[in-house]
Amino acid sequence: MMGEREEDDDNEEAWLQLRPKEPLPSQCCGSGCSPCVFDLYHQDLARWEAARASKDRSLLHGPESQSCPSKLNPKTFVAFCISAMDRLTKDTYRVRFALPGNSQLGLQPGQHLILRGIVDDLEIQRAYTPISPANAEGYFEVLIKCYQMGLMSRYVESWRAGAIAFWRGPFGDFFYKPNQYGELLMLAAGTGLAPMVPILQSITDNENDETFVTLVGCFKTFESIYLKTFLQDQARFWNVRTFFVLSQESSPERLPWSYQEKTRFGRLGQDLIKELVSCCRRKPFALVCGSAEFTKDIARCLLCAGLTEDSYFLF
Protein backbone atom coordinates (compact mmCIF):
# COMPACT_ATOMS: atom_id res chain seq x y z
CA MET A 1 0.00 0.00 0.00
CA MET A 2 2.82 2.40 0.92
CA GLY A 3 4.55 1.70 -2.39
CA GLU A 4 1.37 2.41 -4.36
CA ARG A 5 0.81 5.69 -2.47
CA GLU A 6 4.39 6.82 -3.16
CA GLU A 7 3.98 5.94 -6.84
CA ASP A 8 0.74 7.98 -6.98
CA ASP A 9 2.53 10.90 -5.31
CA ASP A 10 5.36 10.66 -7.84
CA ASN A 11 2.87 10.57 -10.71
CA GLU A 12 1.02 13.58 -9.31
CA GLU A 13 4.25 15.53 -8.97
CA ALA A 14 5.19 14.62 -12.55
CA TRP A 15 1.84 15.89 -13.82
CA LEU A 16 2.23 19.14 -11.86
CA GLN A 17 5.61 19.67 -13.47
CA LEU A 18 3.93 19.36 -16.88
CA ARG A 19 1.25 21.95 -16.04
CA PRO A 20 1.49 24.99 -18.38
CA LYS A 21 2.85 28.15 -16.78
CA GLU A 22 0.56 31.16 -16.79
CA PRO A 23 2.06 34.04 -18.84
CA LEU A 24 3.31 37.19 -17.16
CA PRO A 25 1.60 40.49 -18.01
CA SER A 26 4.77 41.49 -19.92
CA GLN A 27 4.16 38.61 -22.31
CA CYS A 28 0.95 40.20 -23.60
CA CYS A 29 1.49 42.87 -26.27
CA GLY A 30 -1.84 44.54 -25.45
CA SER A 31 -2.96 44.75 -29.09
CA GLY A 32 -6.03 42.55 -28.78
CA CYS A 33 -4.56 39.71 -30.86
CA SER A 34 -6.53 36.54 -31.34
CA PRO A 35 -5.27 34.19 -30.16
CA CYS A 36 -3.64 36.15 -27.34
CA VAL A 37 -0.82 34.60 -25.33
CA PHE A 38 -3.39 34.08 -22.55
CA ASP A 39 -5.76 32.33 -24.99
CA LEU A 40 -2.95 29.92 -25.87
CA TYR A 41 -2.26 29.36 -22.17
CA HIS A 42 -5.88 28.44 -21.48
CA GLN A 43 -5.90 26.09 -24.48
CA ASP A 44 -2.75 24.38 -23.19
CA LEU A 45 -4.21 24.25 -19.67
CA ALA A 46 -7.41 22.58 -20.92
CA ARG A 47 -5.32 20.07 -22.86
CA TRP A 48 -3.21 19.37 -19.74
CA GLU A 49 -6.30 18.89 -17.56
CA ALA A 50 -7.81 16.44 -20.09
CA ALA A 51 -4.55 14.51 -20.34
CA ARG A 52 -4.15 14.39 -16.57
CA ALA A 53 -7.74 13.15 -16.05
CA SER A 54 -7.24 10.33 -18.55
CA LYS A 55 -3.59 9.76 -17.55
CA ASP A 56 -2.62 9.95 -21.22
CA ARG A 57 0.40 12.16 -21.88
CA SER A 58 -0.03 11.88 -25.65
CA LEU A 59 -2.97 14.29 -25.31
CA LEU A 60 -0.55 17.03 -24.26
CA HIS A 61 0.65 17.44 -27.83
CA GLY A 62 -1.33 19.77 -30.04
CA PRO A 63 -1.63 19.60 -33.82
CA GLU A 64 1.55 18.91 -35.74
CA SER A 65 3.50 22.05 -36.60
CA GLN A 66 4.07 23.28 -40.15
CA SER A 67 6.90 21.54 -41.96
CA CYS A 68 8.12 24.82 -43.46
CA PRO A 69 10.43 26.47 -40.88
CA SER A 70 9.49 30.05 -41.86
CA LYS A 71 5.72 29.69 -42.33
CA LEU A 72 3.83 32.22 -40.23
CA ASN A 73 1.59 30.83 -37.52
CA PRO A 74 -0.68 32.88 -35.20
CA LYS A 75 -0.25 30.38 -32.37
CA THR A 76 3.42 29.44 -32.56
CA PHE A 77 6.50 31.64 -32.73
CA VAL A 78 8.58 31.05 -35.85
CA ALA A 79 12.25 31.92 -36.34
CA PHE A 80 13.30 34.48 -38.97
CA CYS A 81 16.85 35.61 -39.74
CA ILE A 82 17.80 39.31 -39.81
CA SER A 83 19.39 40.15 -43.16
CA ALA A 84 19.81 43.92 -42.71
CA MET A 85 19.30 46.58 -40.06
CA ASP A 86 19.27 50.31 -40.91
CA ARG A 87 19.03 53.18 -38.43
CA LEU A 88 16.55 55.71 -39.82
CA THR A 89 16.72 58.17 -36.91
CA LYS A 90 18.56 58.22 -33.60
CA ASP A 91 16.00 55.84 -32.06
CA THR A 92 14.25 54.08 -34.96
CA TYR A 93 15.36 51.13 -37.09
CA ARG A 94 14.18 49.52 -40.30
CA VAL A 95 14.89 45.80 -39.97
CA ARG A 96 14.77 43.34 -42.86
CA PHE A 97 14.10 39.64 -42.28
CA ALA A 98 14.83 36.94 -44.83
CA LEU A 99 12.19 34.55 -46.18
CA PRO A 100 13.05 31.26 -47.88
CA GLY A 101 13.56 31.58 -51.63
CA ASN A 102 11.02 33.88 -53.24
CA SER A 103 8.29 33.13 -50.72
CA GLN A 104 5.94 35.80 -49.39
CA LEU A 105 5.07 36.52 -45.77
CA GLY A 106 1.32 36.07 -46.29
CA LEU A 107 -0.04 39.24 -44.63
CA GLN A 108 -2.80 41.50 -45.82
CA PRO A 109 -1.67 45.16 -46.03
CA GLY A 110 -1.83 46.70 -42.54
CA GLN A 111 -1.84 43.45 -40.56
CA HIS A 112 0.68 43.08 -37.73
CA LEU A 113 2.91 40.47 -36.11
CA ILE A 114 3.94 39.74 -32.53
CA LEU A 115 7.65 39.79 -31.69
CA ARG A 116 8.98 37.79 -28.74
CA GLY A 117 12.04 38.94 -26.86
CA ILE A 118 13.84 37.81 -23.71
CA VAL A 119 15.65 40.32 -21.51
CA ASP A 120 17.07 39.44 -18.07
CA ASP A 121 15.22 36.10 -18.26
CA LEU A 122 11.91 37.96 -18.72
CA GLU A 123 9.84 37.17 -21.82
CA ILE A 124 8.20 40.17 -23.46
CA GLN A 125 5.99 40.52 -26.52
CA ARG A 126 5.17 43.52 -28.67
CA ALA A 127 3.17 44.13 -31.86
CA TYR A 128 4.78 45.54 -35.03
CA THR A 129 3.39 46.08 -38.53
CA PRO A 130 5.56 45.19 -41.53
CA ILE A 131 6.15 48.15 -43.86
CA SER A 132 7.23 46.03 -46.82
CA PRO A 133 4.77 45.48 -49.69
CA ALA A 134 2.34 42.65 -49.06
CA ASN A 135 3.64 40.91 -52.19
CA ALA A 136 7.34 41.34 -51.33
CA GLU A 137 9.26 38.17 -52.18
CA GLY A 138 12.09 36.76 -50.09
CA TYR A 139 11.90 39.30 -47.26
CA PHE A 140 9.78 41.47 -44.99
CA GLU A 141 10.63 44.69 -43.16
CA VAL A 142 9.48 46.25 -39.90
CA LEU A 143 9.85 49.71 -38.41
CA ILE A 144 10.84 49.65 -34.72
CA LYS A 145 11.28 52.61 -32.42
CA CYS A 146 13.45 52.08 -29.36
CA TYR A 147 12.83 53.77 -26.03
CA GLN A 148 15.48 54.54 -23.44
CA MET A 149 13.91 52.43 -20.68
CA GLY A 150 12.14 49.87 -22.89
CA LEU A 151 12.83 46.19 -22.35
CA MET A 152 12.02 45.29 -25.95
CA SER A 153 14.20 48.20 -27.03
CA ARG A 154 17.18 46.64 -25.25
CA TYR A 155 16.50 43.40 -27.07
CA VAL A 156 16.17 45.06 -30.49
CA GLU A 157 19.32 47.12 -30.04
CA SER A 158 21.26 43.91 -29.45
CA TRP A 159 20.34 42.67 -32.94
CA ARG A 160 22.87 42.32 -35.72
CA ALA A 161 22.61 40.93 -39.25
CA GLY A 162 22.48 37.16 -39.01
CA ALA A 163 20.66 37.13 -35.67
CA ILE A 164 17.41 35.24 -35.23
CA ALA A 165 14.12 36.72 -34.01
CA PHE A 166 10.82 35.00 -33.31
CA TRP A 167 7.47 36.17 -34.68
CA ARG A 168 3.90 34.90 -34.76
CA GLY A 169 0.89 36.14 -36.68
CA PRO A 170 -0.72 37.55 -38.69
CA PHE A 171 -3.21 39.63 -36.72
CA GLY A 172 -5.46 42.56 -37.53
CA ASP A 173 -9.08 43.20 -38.48
CA PHE A 174 -8.69 45.75 -41.27
CA PHE A 175 -8.69 44.18 -44.74
CA TYR A 176 -8.33 46.64 -47.61
CA LYS A 177 -10.06 45.93 -50.92
CA PRO A 178 -9.28 47.99 -54.06
CA ASN A 179 -11.81 50.75 -54.73
CA GLN A 180 -13.65 49.90 -51.51
CA TYR A 181 -13.58 53.55 -50.40
CA GLY A 182 -13.71 56.79 -52.33
CA GLU A 183 -10.85 58.25 -50.32
CA LEU A 184 -8.67 57.07 -47.47
CA LEU A 185 -7.70 59.69 -44.92
CA MET A 186 -4.62 58.26 -43.20
CA LEU A 187 -3.74 59.91 -39.87
CA ALA A 188 -0.52 58.59 -38.36
CA ALA A 189 1.76 59.63 -35.52
CA GLY A 190 5.38 58.43 -35.44
CA THR A 191 5.70 54.71 -36.10
CA GLY A 192 1.93 54.68 -36.51
CA LEU A 193 2.92 55.31 -40.12
CA ALA A 194 3.76 51.59 -40.44
CA PRO A 195 0.32 50.12 -41.32
CA MET A 196 -0.33 52.98 -43.75
CA VAL A 197 2.76 52.18 -45.84
CA PRO A 198 1.76 48.77 -47.28
CA ILE A 199 -1.87 49.89 -47.75
CA LEU A 200 -0.74 52.99 -49.64
CA GLN A 201 1.70 51.02 -51.77
CA SER A 202 -0.94 48.40 -52.60
CA ILE A 203 -3.08 51.24 -54.00
CA THR A 204 -0.38 52.87 -56.10
CA ASP A 205 0.91 49.49 -57.34
CA ASN A 206 -2.55 48.66 -58.69
CA GLU A 207 -3.36 50.68 -61.81
CA ASN A 208 -7.00 49.68 -61.49
CA ASP A 209 -7.33 51.06 -57.95
CA GLU A 210 -8.59 54.65 -58.19
CA THR A 211 -8.88 55.31 -54.45
CA PHE A 212 -7.79 58.78 -53.42
CA VAL A 213 -5.40 58.95 -50.47
CA THR A 214 -4.64 61.83 -48.11
CA LEU A 215 -1.87 60.86 -45.71
CA VAL A 216 -1.05 63.03 -42.70
CA GLY A 217 2.10 62.15 -40.76
CA CYS A 218 2.63 63.67 -37.31
CA PHE A 219 6.22 63.94 -36.09
CA LYS A 220 8.25 66.06 -33.69
CA THR A 221 10.72 67.51 -36.19
CA PHE A 222 11.49 67.33 -39.90
CA GLU A 223 14.50 65.12 -39.17
CA SER A 224 12.28 62.61 -37.36
CA ILE A 225 10.02 61.97 -40.38
CA TYR A 226 10.38 58.34 -41.45
CA LEU A 227 10.67 57.08 -45.01
CA LYS A 228 10.89 60.53 -46.62
CA THR A 229 11.95 59.21 -50.03
CA PHE A 230 9.13 56.67 -50.12
CA LEU A 231 6.54 59.29 -49.14
CA GLN A 232 7.85 61.78 -51.70
CA ASP A 233 7.65 59.13 -54.42
CA GLN A 234 4.11 58.19 -53.41
CA ALA A 235 2.99 61.83 -53.48
CA ARG A 236 3.83 61.95 -57.20
CA PHE A 237 0.86 59.70 -57.97
CA TRP A 238 -2.22 61.50 -59.23
CA ASN A 239 -4.43 60.19 -56.40
CA VAL A 240 -2.08 60.70 -53.42
CA ARG A 241 -1.47 63.74 -51.22
CA THR A 242 0.86 63.87 -48.23
CA PHE A 243 0.91 66.38 -45.39
CA PHE A 244 2.96 66.68 -42.23
CA VAL A 245 2.35 68.11 -38.78
CA LEU A 246 5.47 68.95 -36.75
CA SER A 247 5.01 69.52 -33.04
CA GLN A 248 8.48 70.89 -32.21
CA GLU A 249 9.09 73.14 -35.21
CA SER A 250 7.61 76.51 -36.05
CA SER A 251 9.42 77.97 -39.07
CA PRO A 252 8.56 76.87 -42.63
CA GLU A 253 11.68 78.64 -43.93
CA ARG A 254 13.83 75.97 -42.26
CA LEU A 255 12.18 73.22 -44.29
CA PRO A 256 13.04 72.13 -47.84
CA TRP A 257 10.87 74.03 -50.31
CA SER A 258 9.00 70.85 -51.31
CA TYR A 259 7.73 70.50 -47.72
CA GLN A 260 6.89 74.11 -46.92
CA GLU A 261 3.38 74.21 -48.40
CA LYS A 262 2.31 70.81 -47.03
CA THR A 263 3.52 71.16 -43.45
CA ARG A 264 1.68 72.53 -40.44
CA PHE A 265 3.11 73.21 -37.01
CA GLY A 266 1.82 72.29 -33.57
CA ARG A 267 -0.47 69.32 -33.07
CA LEU A 268 -3.13 67.63 -35.12
CA GLY A 269 -6.31 68.93 -33.51
CA GLN A 270 -9.99 69.37 -34.17
CA ASP A 271 -9.74 72.41 -36.46
CA LEU A 272 -7.18 70.78 -38.74
CA ILE A 273 -9.13 67.51 -38.77
CA LYS A 274 -12.26 69.37 -39.91
CA GLU A 275 -10.24 71.09 -42.63
CA LEU A 276 -8.77 67.80 -43.82
CA VAL A 277 -12.16 66.09 -43.91
CA SER A 278 -13.77 68.99 -45.77
CA CYS A 279 -11.05 69.10 -48.43
CA CYS A 280 -11.21 65.38 -49.19
CA ARG A 281 -12.10 64.87 -52.84
CA ARG A 282 -14.52 62.04 -52.07
CA LYS A 283 -16.29 60.77 -48.97
CA PRO A 284 -13.41 59.73 -46.70
CA PHE A 285 -12.81 56.64 -44.64
CA ALA A 286 -10.19 57.40 -41.99
CA LEU A 287 -7.38 55.14 -40.79
CA VAL A 288 -5.78 56.16 -37.49
CA CYS A 289 -2.61 54.82 -35.88
CA GLY A 290 -0.40 56.19 -33.13
CA SER A 291 -0.21 56.19 -29.37
CA ALA A 292 -3.32 55.34 -27.35
CA GLU A 293 -3.77 59.02 -26.50
CA PHE A 294 -3.35 60.10 -30.12
CA THR A 295 -5.83 57.50 -31.35
CA LYS A 296 -8.44 58.47 -28.76
CA ASP A 297 -8.11 62.20 -29.50
CA ILE A 298 -8.28 61.74 -33.27
CA ALA A 299 -11.36 59.50 -33.02
CA ARG A 300 -13.11 62.24 -31.05
CA CYS A 301 -12.07 64.87 -33.60
CA LEU A 302 -13.34 62.74 -36.49
CA LEU A 303 -16.74 62.44 -34.86
CA CYS A 304 -16.83 66.20 -34.36
CA ALA A 305 -15.91 66.64 -38.03
CA GLY A 306 -19.03 64.70 -39.04
CA LEU A 307 -17.71 61.19 -39.56
CA THR A 308 -19.60 58.29 -38.03
CA GLU A 309 -18.04 55.44 -36.07
CA ASP A 310 -18.29 53.16 -39.08
CA SER A 311 -16.30 55.68 -41.15
CA TYR A 312 -12.94 55.16 -39.47
CA PHE A 313 -10.70 52.37 -38.26
CA LEU A 314 -8.33 52.58 -35.30
CA PHE A 315 -5.23 50.40 -35.50
Side-chain angles (χ1 to χ4, degrees):
M1 294 290 292
M2 181 64 71
E4 291 180 2
R5 186 178 300 114
E6 289 177 351
E7 183 177 349
D8 289 342
D9 290 343
D10 290 341
N11 287 337
E12 182 66 17
E13 183 176 350
W15 277 108
L16 290 175
Q17 290 177 352
L18 293 171
R19 181 188 173 96
K21 293 183 180 179
E22 185 172 359
L24 297 172
S26 64
Q27 293 175 263
C28 177
C29 71
S31 298
C33 305
S34 180
C36 172
V37 63
F38 285 99
D39 296 330
L40 297 177
Y41 161 71
H42 289 299
Q43 291 174 15
D44 290 342
L45 183 61
R47 188 180 297 121
W48 174 82
E49 289 173 342
R52 180 188 181 194
S54 61
K55 298 182 180 180
D56 183 357
R57 295 194 184 192
S58 68
L59 297 177
L60 291 173
H61 304 291
E64 292 297 319
S65 60
Q66 299 280 348
S67 58
C68 177
S70 294
K71 180 71 173 179
L72 267 180
N73 189 318
K75 295 184 178 181
T76 304
F77 283 97
V78 179
F80 294 91
C81 181
I82 297 171
S83 58
M85 189 165 179
D86 301 320
R87 174 172 266 170
L88 300 184
T89 67
K90 64 179 181 179
D91 57 9
T92 305
Y93 297 87
R94 177 171 54 196
V95 188
R96 175 171 288 204
F97 293 86
L99 295 173
N102 292 324
S103 63
Q104 298 180 0
L105 188 59
L107 265 69
Q108 295 293 320
Q111 284 191 301
H112 66 272
L113 304 175
I114 301 299
L115 171 66
R116 182 181 70 188
I118 298 178
V119 177
D120 296 336
D121 296 325
L122 179 67
E123 181 178 308
I124 46 180
Q125 298 184 24
R126 297 289 184 270
Y128 298 99
T129 303
I131 59 171
S132 44
N135 59 356
E137 296 182 347
Y139 76 96
F140 71 94
E141 292 180 333
V142 293
L143 191 66
I144 300 181
K145 181 174 181 178
C146 293
Y147 297 88
Q148 188 172 3
M149 302 301 291
L151 287 175
M152 185 62 83
S153 300
R154 286 172 54 190
Y155 174 63
V156 169
E157 290 181 328
S158 72
W159 284 352
R160 299 294 182 271
I164 299 296
F166 291 86
W167 298 88
R168 68 180 177 98
F171 303 101
D173 299 324
F174 179 77
F175 302 98
Y176 177 74
K177 297 178 181 178
N179 298 306
Q180 182 178 4
Y181 306 105
E183 180 158 359
L184 286 178
L185 176 59
M186 299 179 170
L187 306 172
T191 52
L193 181 67
M196 313 301 179
V197 170
I199 296 171
L200 173 58
Q201 187 151 15
S202 73
I203 294 172
T204 56
D205 282 349
N206 183 356
E207 63 181 11
N208 295 316
D209 193 340
E210 298 184 347
T211 304
F212 283 103
V213 178
T214 297
L215 185 150
V216 182
C218 303
F219 298 90
K220 292 181 179 179
T221 64
F222 175 76
E223 286 72 22
S224 66
I225 298 175
Y226 307 128
L227 309 176
K228 292 186 183 72
T229 301
F230 168 81
L231 294 175
Q232 289 282 69
D233 290 343
Q234 294 295 305
R236 294 188 176 97
F237 285 89
W238 64 272
N239 54 337
V240 177
R241 300 182 300 184
T242 58
F243 298 97
F244 301 93
V245 179
L246 305 180
S247 62
Q248 295 183 5
E249 301 232 22
S250 57
S251 175
E253 290 76 18
R254 298 181 60 183
L255 302 178
W257 68 268
S258 60
Y259 284 83
Q260 291 180 7
E261 291 188 357
K262 59 181 182 180
T263 300
R264 300 291 185 91
F265 302 98
R267 296 190 177 277
L268 182 59
Q270 187 166 318
D271 291 342
L272 184 51
I273 291 288
K274 286 184 177 180
E275 181 180 339
L276 288 166
V277 170
S278 64
C279 73
C280 281
R281 294 149 289 188
R282 298 173 180 168
K283 182 180 179 181
F285 184 89
L287 301 177
V288 183
C289 190
S291 67
E293 181 181 4
F294 174 86
T295 302
K296 181 180 178 181
D297 287 345
I298 298 302
R300 176 181 52 80
C301 292
L302 289 171
L303 292 173
C304 292
L307 269 66
T308 56
E309 290 188 357
D310 60 357
S311 296
Y312 61 79
F313 183 87
L314 310 178
F315 285 99

